């Protein structure tokens, strides 16, 4: 059953539509929902009064109400849907009630005159683009229980100067505060773990910011265009925290890491297709996981002898990497370190290496010969699997364990000798190596101690 009351159409306990020329909307008591798009045609709507019975404002309920200046939201409101108030360009303020649980994607997007919005501590979810384009916002305090800020949530809030983030926050979404050119005051909480791509890109007023030690993932271009100084600073397209390189511009094609840097953090250059050259100073001791993974333009990589540790998948998928120099002090080549480097024709494994990790050189289709030094005692599962051009593999006398599928599908491999001292050889070591002599194939035996595969 439907009814029209004061220019608003109701069905049961829902407001479902309204007259296009409605100027003042007073929703009748007992109404529970404002249906999707109900007032989206009301270009003249100036005021809104929701009774406390309303629990949900659905998607685009008031979208495009460009004359709406004031809105009293109900005390019982629990959800504000996607784009619910988007494009309400005259809306000056919004006080959201305690008990509100979620603010949908784009809920207040492009509310250009919105100067203040109070978000209650009950809110646990803040959607993408929630307040994007709210150029009039000056300050924002996010609720105490919030764990994540959605991507683009405050994108291009040009007047935003101060942000207070709760200690509960774990994740900042992609471009969450990008383009907030007036932002000067923000502190990152001690429990923050993930900052997605370009979260603060283009915040040209942001000079001082401390990055908490809790951060384990820093996306690409997080601080692009930020004139950072102090413990967190930018130089030549690279972002540093003290003696650690933590970020890089996504379009950087030549990276010169500053002297004194001791660590390259996880994923700093990951999937940077533009990166062609990188200069690593001899102060660097550690290169993190996936630091150069997927850098398809990188052709040469020289790692100085000062480096003693490189992370898993450090250059995985660098499809154009042709020349590689490993450091003399390296003791372990980790899992999948150079997997899928299909252009890599040679790799000199240095004499301090003791272990070659699982799939370390798997899929290096151009690799023709590999000399493994006597220092190596363990070759893990699939370490050289799929190296289709590999002709010769010289295994060290000190080798003790040879993992499952270590040279699987090396179709051109014609020479490989397993030393007598090997105590564990797992299955499938030379499976798919059709050119290998029957004598070499016969040398693959079950381990004397009955052990399983070497992972």
């Amino acid at each position: 059953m439907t009814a029209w009351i004061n220019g608003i159409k109701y069905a049961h306990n829902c407001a479902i539509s309204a007259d296009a020329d409605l100027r003042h909307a007073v929703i009748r008591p007992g109404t529970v929902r404002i249906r999707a798009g109900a007032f989206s045609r009301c270009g003249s709507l100036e005021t809104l009064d929701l009774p406390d019975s309303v629990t949900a404002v659905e998607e685009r309920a008031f979208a495009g109400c460009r004359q709406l200046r004031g809105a009293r939201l109900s005390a019982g409101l629990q959800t504000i849907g996607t784009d619910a108030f988007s494009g309400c360009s005259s809306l000056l303020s919004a006080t959201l009630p305690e008990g509100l649980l979620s603010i949908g994607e784009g809920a207040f997007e492009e509310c250009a005159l919105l100067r203040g919005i109070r978000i209650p501590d009950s809110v646990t979810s803040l959607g993408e683009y929630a307040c994007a384009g709210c150029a009039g916002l000056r300050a924002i305090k996010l609720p105490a229980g919030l764990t994540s800020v959605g991507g683009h949530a405050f994108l291009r809030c040009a007047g935003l100067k101060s942000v207070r983030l709760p200690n509960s926050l774990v994740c900042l979404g992609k471009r969450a505060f990008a383009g907030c050119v007036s932002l000067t005051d923000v502190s990152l909480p001690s429990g923050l773990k993930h900052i997605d791509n370009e979260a603060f890109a283009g915040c040209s007023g942001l000079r001082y910011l401390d990055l908490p030690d809790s951060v384990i993932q820093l996306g690409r271009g997080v601080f692009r265009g930020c004139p950072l100084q102090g413990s967190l600073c930018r130089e030549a397209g690279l972002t540093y925290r003290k003696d650690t390189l933590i970020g890089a511009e996504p379009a950087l094609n030549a990276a010169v890491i500053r002297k004194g840097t001791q660590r390259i953090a996880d994923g700093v250059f990951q999937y940077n297709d533009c990166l062609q050259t990188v200069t690593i100073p001899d102060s660097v001791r550690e290169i993190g996981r996936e630091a150069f993974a997927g850098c398809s333009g990188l052709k040469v990589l020289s790692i100085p002898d000062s480096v003693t540790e490189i992370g898993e998948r450090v250059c995985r998928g660098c499809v154009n990497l042709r020349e590689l120099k490993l450091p003399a002090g390296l003791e372990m080549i980790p899992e999948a370190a150079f997997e899928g480097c299909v252009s890599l024709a040679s790799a000199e494994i240095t004499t301090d290496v003791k272990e070659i990790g699982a799939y370390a050189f798997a899929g290096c289709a151009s690799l023709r010969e590999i000399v493994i030094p006597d220092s190596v005692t363990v070759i893990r599962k699939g370490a050289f699997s799929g190296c289709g051009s590999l002709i010769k593999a010289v295994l060290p006398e000190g080798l003790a364990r040879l993992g499952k599928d270590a040279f699987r599908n090396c179709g051109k491999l014609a020479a490989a000798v397993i030393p007598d001292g090997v105590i564990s050889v797992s299955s499938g070591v030379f499976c798919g190596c059709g050119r290998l002599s029957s004598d070499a194939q016969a040398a693959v035996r079950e381990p004397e101690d009955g052990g399983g595969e070497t992972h």
Side-chain angles (χ1 to χ4, degrees), residues 35 70 142 176 193 203 206 218 224 246 253 320 322 326 357 388:
R35 189 170 288 181
L142 296 180
K193 294 184 178 180
C203 294
L206 193 60
L218 193 71
R224 178 172 56 84
I246 61 170
N253 56 34
N320 285 305
R322 291 173 170 80
L326 295 174

Side-chain angles (χ1 to χ4, degrees), residues 368-372 379 384 390-396 406-407 410 412-419 430 436:
R368 294 176 59 82
E369 183 175 348
I370 189 77
V371 178
I372 303 172
I379 297 176
F384 298 95
L390 190 63
I391 296 172
K392 182 181 180 181
V394 179
L395 303 181
F407 292 89
C410 294
K412 294 184 179 180
L413 187 62
V417 178
I418 299 178
F430 295 112
L436 201 60

Side-chain angles (χ1 to χ4, degrees), residues 81-115:
T82 299
D83 297 324
F85 292 92
S86 67
C88 293
S89 53
S90 298
L91 189 65
L92 297 175
S93 66
T95 300
L96 308 182
E98 292 292 342
L100 183 69
L101 300 177
S102 65
I103 300 173
E105 295 182 9
F108 294 94
E109 185 177 5
E110 300 298 339
C111 293
L113 296 184
L114 187 66
R115 288 186 171 272

